[in-house]
Amino acid sequence: MNVSASSFPLPTPRSRWGSILDKLLSGQGLWPAVPAIVVLIVVAVIPFFLLLSLGFADFRVAQGRIVERSFSLGFVTSALADPLYHVTFQRSLTLALSTMTLCVVLGYPVAYLYLTGGPRIRKLILFLTIVPLLTSGIVRTYAWMVILGARGIVNTALLSLGVIDRPLRIMNTHWAVLIGMVQIHLPVMILPLIAVMSRYDRYLDEASENLGASKLATLWHVILPLSVPAIGAGAGLVFVLSYTTFVVPQLLGGGNYLNAATMIYEQVVYSLEWNRAAVSALLLMLSCLVVLSTIAILTNLFCRWTREAQR
Amino acid sequence: MRRFANNAGADLLGRGIIYALAVFSLLILLLPAVIVVMISFDTRSFVSFPPQGFTLDWYRQVFQQDALVDGMVVSLRVGLTVTGLCILLGVPTALVCARGQFRGVGALSLFILVPHMVPGIVLGVAVLFAGADMGIGPSVWLQSIAITAFVMAVMVRTVTSRLQRLDPKLEEAAANLGATPWQALRTVTFPLLLPAVLAGSVFTFVEGFDNVSVAIFTHGFRDRPLPVELIALVSTTNTPLVAAVSGVQILLALLALLAISRTIGLDRVNG
């Protein structure tokens, strides 16, 4: 029963601000969100459309300000024909897709361990996934520079075991970037999986085992299909982050290793080609959307397919 | 159910492989931090593994380098500003997202989440260009507001999911005892929301302190935040100094984690 406050006329001292707030709160309307909406429009929506317009404009930059502009498709068409763009975007895409795949392969077992493990294991897993998230990406990348460098752990170990007789060159290669990417984005894959897994009813597990299924069969036929949406969400996140990341390729890839993000950085900060940078940012964003929607569509298709297969 | 026929051997092997992969992943997650901390105490002045000897000298040097200390101060300012703005803007927005009774609440929630899904580097470039167009140059403020737009979604999402789990009867009870809506919110709802706000704050602060993709385009040219300073340092030097900076950050991360697990519990972090 919702008895209104006025039926108990208690003398409560109220400030003027309090009564203004009361009026605004009682409507359950939009107003408390207005400041946030304004900020997002000014800081995200307007800049984004400006970027969009700059991709199709010939403009001149003088002393850090945009002067003079006129409509032009020139920068878009020249970017689409530029071999540097092809190489860079292809590399970013390959890297991000392989990072995503490896993160699923390495992350899912952790989530399964979380599902089947006791409270201690659960705590340990949460600890090991959250601490890296709170530690700087540069710190973690730096660690891989130490591990993979010429005098790093990997080379020291291989040399002393006699597997190789001179240090392997791992740093500044595609492999170094891939290893760094996977480790840095693994927690982002694991957390959504754990969030979903921890909601599973344990009885589901037991029911399937009572029907005679082995643990592995339960995983394959019951748990895995249920966790496909979470895999899709985690994979999407890992894809966006590794497709657009700046730090790892910059530090582990060496000077010549450009991905989409480092290319944009060079265009803005070093070669001052703002027109090209605007086009690059738009291409990055668009290709990102295409891959993300593909992941979403595949996830949906898979869910529908398993539902129909179970009928 | 012949399909589910037990094959103990295959079952054991399959689960063995899965658990081995899980342990491997957990080791990979742990390894970098352990290595960096070990290196940061090394007595030699070049980075090499395993370390020889123990010294705290690199940690002393971190706080003697002006560039690093300045970077930390800038990052601290940005981190605190971002967190403050996210609380001020995000908590009321979460109230609307969780309680609003008008058409378009769903659209609002989506709108708040979108900037977080845009690649940070695209948002950084966009804000830089828009600022340039309006004659606003990169600065601590531009950086803070841009990162706020980027991460506010985290605060809104955490607080909204907490609000949705709260029992509305608690506020009704307050109202029945004569509390005005604002009094009910202040004395009943806000204290219950505090853990969620704290969890959101930890993540927004870390993002403000450590963001690279937005910050490299929006930071002031004289106010370089720590990550930007560190990238330059990592690519030019090969001393354990960077490892010591990392050691400090890892320690801070552990403290933040301790704060989370003491207040809301680790398993609530996901919202």
Side-chain angles (χ1 to χ4, degrees), chain A residues 3 10 22 28 32 36 50 64 69 106 109 116 127 130 136 138-139 143 145 153 183 191 212 214 216 219 221 261, chain B residues 4 6 11 15 18-19 25 28 32 35-36 92-93 101 121 130 132-133 176-177 180 182 210 227 234 246 249 257 270:
Chain A
V3 185
L10 294 176
D22 285 340
Q28 287 182 322
L50 188 82
R69 57 180 105 194
L106 288 174
T116 53
F127 179 79
I130 296 172
S136 139
I138 298 166
V139 167
M145 294 172 75
I153 295 189
Q183 195 263 347
L191 280 181
S214 68
L216 204 60
L219 172 64
H221 292 289
Chain B
F4 287 149
N6 262 318
D11 187 45
R15 278 164 63 211
I18 291 168
Y19 286 133
S25 308
I28 284 190
I35 303 288
V36 165
T93 309
Q101 287 172 349
I121 198 143
D133 207 26
N176 289 346
L177 289 171
T180 64
W182 167 243
D210 252 344
V234 168
S246 311
Q249 290 204 22
L257 197 70
N270 263 339

Side-chain angles (χ1 to χ4, degrees), chain A residues 1-5 8 10 12-14 18 21-22 25-26 28-33 35-37 39-48 50-51 54 59 64-66 69 105-107 109-110 112-114 116 123-140 142-147 151-153 156 183 186-187 190-192 194-195 199 208 211-217 219 221-222 240 244 246-247 250-251 261-262 264-265 268-269 274 277-278 281-282 284-285 288 292, chain B residues 1 3-7 10-11 13-15 18-19 21-33 35-36 39 46-50 89-90 92-93 95-96 99-102 108 111-113 115 117-123 125-135 145-146 148-150 152 172 175-183 185 202-203 206 210 212-213 216-217 226-228 230-231 234-235 238-243 245-247 249-250 253-254 256-257 260 266-267 269-271:
Chain A
M1 279 296 110
N2 196 351
V3 185
S4 76
F8 296 94
L10 294 176
T12 37
R14 295 164 66 181
L21 284 169
D22 285 340
L25 280 171
S26 53
Q28 287 182 322
L30 180 71
W31 83 266
I37 295 172
V39 167
L40 288 188
I41 288 176
V42 173
V43 186
V45 178
I46 295 178
F48 179 71
L50 188 82
L51 184 71
L54 291 183
F59 60 95
R65 288 198 66 162
I66 297 167
R69 57 180 105 194
V105 171
L106 288 174
V110 176
Y112 182 67
L113 184 63
Y114 183 88
T116 53
K123 219 170 193 173
L124 181 74
I125 290 176
L126 277 174
F127 179 79
L128 286 178
T129 41
I130 296 172
V131 168
L133 275 186
L134 296 176
T135 320
S136 139
I138 298 166
V139 167
R140 288 183 279 156
Y142 172 76
W144 286 106
M145 294 172 75
V146 175
I147 295 168
R151 274 189 286 207
I153 295 189
T156 314
Q183 195 263 347
L186 199 50
I190 296 174
L191 280 181
I194 288 181
R199 262 178 243 142
S208 140
L211 288 170
S214 68
K215 292 242 193 245
L216 204 60
L219 172 64
H221 292 289
V222 181
V240 177
T244 62
F246 171 80
V247 176
Q250 178 83 359
L251 295 182
T262 48
I264 295 174
Y265 179 70
V268 173
V269 175
W274 281 23
L282 290 177
L284 179 76
M285 171 106 192
C288 219
L292 278 185
Chain B
M1 297 289 263
R3 206 149 59 119
F4 287 149
N6 262 318
N7 181 339
D11 187 45
L13 182 69
R15 278 164 63 211
I18 291 168
Y19 286 133
L21 273 177
V23 171
F24 178 70
S25 308
L26 292 176
L27 283 179
I28 284 190
L29 283 176
L30 182 66
L31 182 71
I35 303 288
V36 165
I39 294 273
F46 58 91
V47 169
S48 179
F49 199 86
L89 299 170
T93 309
L95 278 174
V96 176
R99 304 255 172 96
Q101 287 172 349
F102 56 92
L108 174 72
F111 176 72
I112 301 289
L113 291 183
M117 294 183 224
V118 172
I121 198 143
V122 172
L123 191 78
V125 170
V127 170
L128 174 72
F129 288 180
D133 207 26
M134 292 182 263
I145 194 94
T148 302
F150 187 58
M152 195 163 58
E172 278 169 30
N176 289 346
L177 289 171
T180 64
W182 167 243
Q183 284 172 332
L185 204 63
V202 170
F203 279 96
V206 168
D210 252 344
V212 178
S213 56
I216 46 167
F217 295 110
L226 187 62
V228 175
L230 273 183
I231 289 182
V234 168
S235 17
N238 189 30
T239 64
L241 184 66
V242 183
V245 180
S246 311
Q249 290 204 22
I250 292 170
L254 288 176
L257 197 70
I260 295 178
L266 281 184
D267 45 346
V269 167
N270 263 339

Side-chain angles (χ1 to χ4, degrees), chain A residues 36-172:
Chain A
I37 295 172
V38 171
V39 167
L40 288 188
I41 288 176
V42 173
V43 186
V45 178
I46 295 178
F48 179 71
F49 281 103
L50 188 82
L51 184 71
L52 198 70
S53 75
L54 291 183
F56 297 95
D58 190 357
F59 60 95
R60 218 157 49 76
V61 177
Q63 293 170 337
R65 288 198 66 162
I66 297 167
V67 291
E68 252 186 66
R69 57 180 105 194
S70 58
F71 178 79
S72 156
L73 278 173
F75 290 101
V76 175
T77 50
S78 79
L80 290 177
D82 190 342
L84 177 71
Y85 274 79
H86 294 184
V87 174
T88 308
F89 272 87
Q90 208 170 19
R91 179 185 288 144
S92 304
L93 199 64
T94 319
L95 189 67
L97 288 176
S98 30
T99 304
M100 184 184 88
T101 315
L102 281 172
C103 280
V104 173
V105 171
L106 288 174
Y108 198 85
V110 176
Y112 182 67
L113 184 63
Y114 183 88
L115 180 72
T116 53
R120 275 196 159 176
I121 290 180
R122 290 188 162 203
K123 219 170 193 173
L124 181 74
I125 290 176
L126 277 174
F127 179 79
L128 286 178
T129 41
I130 296 172
V131 168
L133 275 186
L134 296 176
T135 320
S136 139
I138 298 166
V139 167
R140 288 183 279 156
T141 313
Y142 172 76
W144 286 106
M145 294 172 75
V146 175
I147 295 168
L148 302 174
R151 274 189 286 207
I153 295 189
V154 172
N155 272 320
T156 314
L158 290 179
L159 281 173
S160 63
L161 286 172
V163 182
I164 49 172
D165 51 7
R166 75 177 69 151
L168 287 176
R169 189 173 159 272
I170 316 172
M171 269 297 293
N172 299 347

Side-chain angles (χ1 to χ4, degrees), chain B residues 42-59:
Chain B
D42 198 356
T43 42
R44 290 177 298 183
S45 60
F46 58 91
V47 169
S48 179
F49 199 86
Q52 295 170 346
F54 178 90
T55 177
L56 285 173
D57 205 42
W58 299 111
Y59 284 89

